[in-house]
Amino acid sequence: MDSLRYWVTDMHVDGFRFDLAPTLARQEGEFDKRSAFFDLVSQEPVVSRVKLIAEPWDVGQMDSYDLGGFPAAWREWNGRYRDSMRDFWRSHPIGLGEFASRFCGSSDMYGAARRRPTASVNLITVHDGFTLRDLVSYSDKHNPAGQQQRLLPGQRDRLV
C-alpha cells in the first residue's frame, strides 16, 4: 500500500492496471473478491479513490479467467469483448446478440453483480497480443523478426 500511495501522492498517478490480478486475491488457493488485498485497497483513503483496473486472467489455476468477479470499485479488461470484436472485424459469424452484448458493455458479465457497463474495459489489442495491423492482416502473430506469416484470405501477397 505504501508503494501505491507513493505513486498516487508524489508521482500523481491517477490509476493502476494490475497484471494477472486474480493472483493478488488468492485465498486458500482460489480467487476471492473478499480477499485481504481488496479489503486493504478499499480501506486505503488515497489508493481507493484512483482508477483500479484488473487484468482478470490468472496462471496456474483451473478456472483462470475471473471476468466479472472483482469488487464494484474495480474495472476489468474484457477479453470476451476483444474476441467478439476481432471475430466481427474478420467477418467471422458471431451473431447479432453476441455483438450487441459486447458492444454495449457486456451486461451479461456484470449485471448479476449489479455492476454497470463501465466495469468493462473494452480493448481490441494490448501489449501481449497481435498489433492492430497484424490482427486485421494475418492469421498468426507478426511480431518476431524473420518469422513466416500467413496472410488472411483475400489479403495481398505482402503488406507494404
Side-chain angles (χ1 to χ4, degrees):
M1 285 301 116
D2 292 341
S3 294
L4 296 175
R5 192 178 322 102
Y6 166 79
W7 279 98
V8 174
T9 57
D10 292 5
M11 304 303 286
H12 307 286
V13 169
D14 67 353
F16 301 96
R17 181 193 59 89
F18 293 88
D19 213 7
L20 304 172
T23 61
L24 300 170
R26 280 196 204 140
Q27 291 198 180
E28 299 180 27
E30 295 182 1
F31 172 78
D32 184 352
K33 76 177 183 180
R34 295 178 307 269
S35 73
F37 176 74
F38 291 140
D39 282 345
L40 287 170
V41 169
S42 70
Q43 295 173 29
E44 213 295 322
V46 174
V47 176
S48 64
R49 293 195 173 123
V50 300
K51 297 172 184 87
L52 300 167
I53 301 170
E55 181 189 47
W57 293 270
D58 200 347
V59 292
Q61 302 296 309
M62 291 291 279
D63 183 16
S64 64
Y65 187 55
D66 295 300
L67 183 66
F70 285 79
W74 286 69
R75 305 299 176 248
E76 303 168 40
W77 276 16
N78 188 340
R80 293 267 314 265
Y81 173 89
R82 177 203 60 214
D83 296 342
S84 294
M85 293 301 112
R86 284 178 174 181
D87 286 346
F88 175 78
W89 193 327
R90 295 180 294 190
S91 299
H92 294 180
I94 66 166
L96 185 58
E98 175 68 12
F99 177 86
S101 292
R102 298 306 143 237
F103 192 74
C104 293
S106 300
S107 63
D108 58 325
M109 304 298 297
Y110 302 102
R114 302 183 69 179
R115 295 175 67 197
R116 300 180 52 78
T118 54
S120 179
V121 176
N122 296 338
L123 59 121
I124 298 291
T125 186
V126 293
H127 68 280
D128 54 0
F130 282 102
T131 66
L132 188 56
R133 183 175 179 177
D134 291 346
L135 177 67
V136 299
S137 303
Y138 298 98
S139 59
D140 299 313
K141 281 188 183 178
H142 188 66
N143 295 338
Q147 181 181 2
Q148 290 291 329
Q149 306 303 320
R150 290 188 344 244
L151 289 167
L152 292 172
Q155 294 288 327
R156 295 182 301 167
D157 289 334
R158 65 182 192 89
L159 295 177
V160 199

